[in-house]
Amino acid sequence: MSVISPSLRILLIEDNLAEARLLQEILKGSPTENFEFKHVQRLGDALAILDQGQKFDIILLDLTLPDSQGLDSLPKLQQHQQQLPVIVLTHHQDEALALEAVRQGAQDYLVKRDVSLDVLLRSVHYAIQRHCLSRELAVENQTLNANLKRQERELSEAKAANKLKSEFVSMLSHDFRNPLNTILLSAGLLEESGDRLSKGQQHNYFNMIRTAIKDLDELLSEVLLLGKTENGQLSCQFEALDLLYFCQDLMRLVNSAQRQPRPIHFHTEGNLQQGVWDAHLLRHIICNLLSNAIKYSPAPTPILFDVIAKDKTMIFRVADQGIGIPPQAMAELFNPFFRADNVEGVTGTGLGLAIVQRCANIHGGEVEVESQEGGGSCFTVRLPILEIADNGDRVSS
């Protein structure tokens, strides 16, 4: 592989005119190669020439210049976008300095009193070749690093997927089994002892079966919804909603599903009839936040639910006076199946907040949480108020 052009272009930075002339005369003595020289006496002049876009194959650099002394010159040339190979020129007493320059990236050094045609030609050729190889190696290293990062990312994603699958299997074995056991037990009692049970007892067992089936259906719906969000298969279906009526209906729905209904203090502000919304995603956001607030707070305390239209954002805020969230749990709060250490004894799958966050993100919004362990939690969902343009595109209101 040849890396030397037919006419090799040299930028010579040397303040001593006699020594610069000597180097040029030495190279002109080559019987096989042609050289083009550009000689400057200052580092600033060399940088200006490079900035103008003049092209060179190599730089010969004297380490003692009027505007730059010693190793200060080297990094300024190395950092230039042309990134040319550099050979440093030194007097015999500066050989240690020249070696340090090589350690810092110069391709070679020449002691001026030892320069001959063979020495100079060999140094120039080797310097250019080494520089080309080092740049090729740098590109290969970048490619390898990019591949390594990609593989690390894929491995991390695979581990996360395996963890998710493991946690899902664990949830199946527990949260699916409980309602199934209820159904089996109730159905068995009705089958074996139906004629000995009163109408009221039969009714209770049928209600237990219905409730267990409803729990299973809700659990499956949440798992399927989470799976669609993880795979990017969930899209928004926008429609106009009366958010006042919509939220009031959801509060009744959530409270009717509780063993101990809870007072929900509902506060609104601004115009709740503007914008378009995905009712399916919004229902999951509000129902999960209200259900969690009820589930993790003591029975007598009310739940605060605010819906506020402000500027171009609709704010949904749910606050409780419950057990709160430990500080160490905040980082994983929105991970699927994650449950904090202080929820022992309270049933749940750990899917609710993960679904809230993903539904909010798909809707173009975000979720914020403020919580103090033992002092309650406040979840705030901010969603952009969108309108549908005449061409069907979503636009901010």
Side-chain angles (χ1 to χ4, degrees), residues 292-293 295-298 320-326 339-344 346 371-377:
N292 278 357
K295 185 187 300 184
Y296 296 114
S297 57
D320 63 60
Q321 303 172 45
I323 61 176
I325 303 165
R339 304 192 75 210
D341 295 336
N342 63 338
V343 301
E344 187 176 352
V346 182
S371 186
Q372 181 178 356
E373 189 171 8
S377 301

Side-chain angles (χ1 to χ4, degrees), residues 7 14 32 53 76 104 114 127 133 160-161 167 202 214 231 235 242 249 252 272 310 333 344 356 359 378 384:
S7 183
E14 169 63 74
T32 58
K76 295 175 182 178
Q104 294 190 21
D114 295 333
L133 288 174
E167 290 169 338
Q202 292 179 23
K214 182 181 177 182
N231 295 327
S235 59
D242 183 336
D249 188 53
R252 287 191 292 268
L272 303 193
K310 185 176 182 181
L333 194 60
E344 187 176 352
V356 167
C359 288
C378 178

Side-chain angles (χ1 to χ4, degrees), residues 240-309:
L241 292 176
D242 183 336
L243 289 181
L244 178 61
Y245 173 78
F246 183 79
C247 293
Q248 288 174 335
D249 188 53
L250 291 182
M251 287 189 294
R252 287 191 292 268
L253 177 66
V254 170
N255 245 335
S256 67
Q258 308 298 320
R259 290 187 176 88
Q260 294 180 318
R262 192 73 55 81
I264 300 176
H265 295 177
F266 184 43
H267 167 74
T268 66
E269 186 178 322
N271 180 12
L272 303 193
Q273 296 188 6
Q274 59 180 317
V276 289
W277 310 93
D278 186 305
H280 180 63
L281 297 180
L282 202 54
R283 183 176 293 107
H284 278 286
I285 291 171
I286 295 173
C287 286
N288 273 300
L289 290 180
L290 289 175
S291 297
N292 278 357
I294 293 172
K295 185 187 300 184
Y296 296 114
S297 57
T301 60
I303 306 303
L304 306 181
F305 180 26
D306 301 330
V307 181
I308 301 169

Side-chain angles (χ1 to χ4, degrees), residues 50-314:
L50 294 173
D51 288 338
Q52 291 169 7
Q54 293 190 40
K55 300 299 181 182
F56 298 94
D57 296 300
I58 194 167
I59 296 174
L60 301 183
L61 170 67
D62 181 26
L63 290 180
T64 55
L65 299 171
D67 60 343
S68 182
Q69 293 292 314
L71 297 179
D72 291 342
S73 304
L74 187 59
K76 295 175 182 178
L77 293 169
Q78 290 176 318
Q79 292 165 9
H80 194 273
Q81 61 181 1
Q82 289 200 38
Q83 296 182 336
L84 296 172
V86 177
I87 296 175
V88 297
L89 305 173
T90 179
H91 299 285
H92 67 277
Q93 66 268 27
D94 297 328
E95 194 165 351
L97 182 64
L99 284 170
E100 179 60 28
V102 171
R103 280 194 286 268
Q104 294 190 21
Q107 291 299 326
D108 201 355
Y109 75 95
L110 294 175
V111 178
K112 293 179 180 180
R113 62 182 175 83
D114 295 333
V115 170
S116 65
L117 177 60
D118 290 341
V119 169
L120 189 52
L121 283 177
R122 183 170 61 250
S123 179
V124 167
H125 282 246
Y126 286 173
I128 294 175
Q129 289 173 349
R130 282 195 299 269
H131 183 68
C132 289
L133 288 174
S134 66
R135 295 191 67 175
E136 290 174 2
L137 286 173
V139 171
E140 290 182 4
N141 282 336
Q142 289 180 348
T143 303
L144 288 172
N145 287 333
N147 290 336
L148 181 60
K149 289 180 179 179
R150 177 180 55 79
Q151 291 173 0
E152 289 175 347
R153 184 174 62 254
E154 291 174 352
L155 180 60
S156 177
E157 291 172 353
K159 287 181 178 179
N162 287 334
K163 181 182 178 183
L164 197 64
K165 290 177 182 178
S166 175
E167 290 169 338
F168 177 64
V169 170
S170 176
M171 185 203 68
L172 280 178
S173 66
H174 182 269
D175 295 284
F176 274 54
R177 182 175 294 168
N178 286 341
L180 285 174
N181 287 339
T182 299
I183 293 170
L184 289 172
L185 178 61
S186 300
L189 289 170
L190 287 169
E191 181 181 19
E192 296 174 4
S193 308
D195 55 345
R196 297 193 299 274
L197 298 174
S198 66
K199 290 291 184 181
Q201 289 174 320
Q202 292 179 23
H203 181 73
N204 286 338
Y205 284 127
F206 279 122
N207 277 342
M208 290 173 66
I209 291 174
R210 291 190 188 95
T211 301
I213 291 173
K214 182 181 177 182
D215 290 343
L216 279 174
D217 181 64
E218 290 179 353
L219 188 56
L220 282 171
S221 296
E222 288 194 335
V223 170
L224 290 173
L225 178 68
L226 184 64
K228 287 182 178 180
T229 62
E230 295 291 335
N231 295 327
Q233 297 175 344
L234 194 62
S235 59
C236 290
Q237 303 295 326
F238 290 101
E239 60 181 302
L241 292 176
D242 183 336
L243 289 181
L244 178 61
Y245 173 78
F246 183 79
C247 293
Q248 288 174 335
D249 188 53
L250 291 182
M251 287 189 294
R252 287 191 292 268
L253 177 66
V254 170
N255 245 335
S256 67
Q258 308 298 320
R259 290 187 176 88
Q260 294 180 318
R262 192 73 55 81
I264 300 176
H265 295 177
F266 184 43
H267 167 74
T268 66
E269 186 178 322
N271 180 12
L272 303 193
Q273 296 188 6
Q274 59 180 317
V276 289
W277 310 93
D278 186 305
H280 180 63
L281 297 180
L282 202 54
R283 183 176 293 107
H284 278 286
I285 291 171
I286 295 173
C287 286
N288 273 300
L289 290 180
L290 289 175
S291 297
N292 278 357
I294 293 172
K295 185 187 300 184
Y296 296 114
S297 57
T301 60
I303 306 303
L304 306 181
F305 180 26
D306 301 330
V307 181
I308 301 169
K310 185 176 182 181
D311 298 329
K312 296 181 180 181
T313 303
M314 195 70 69

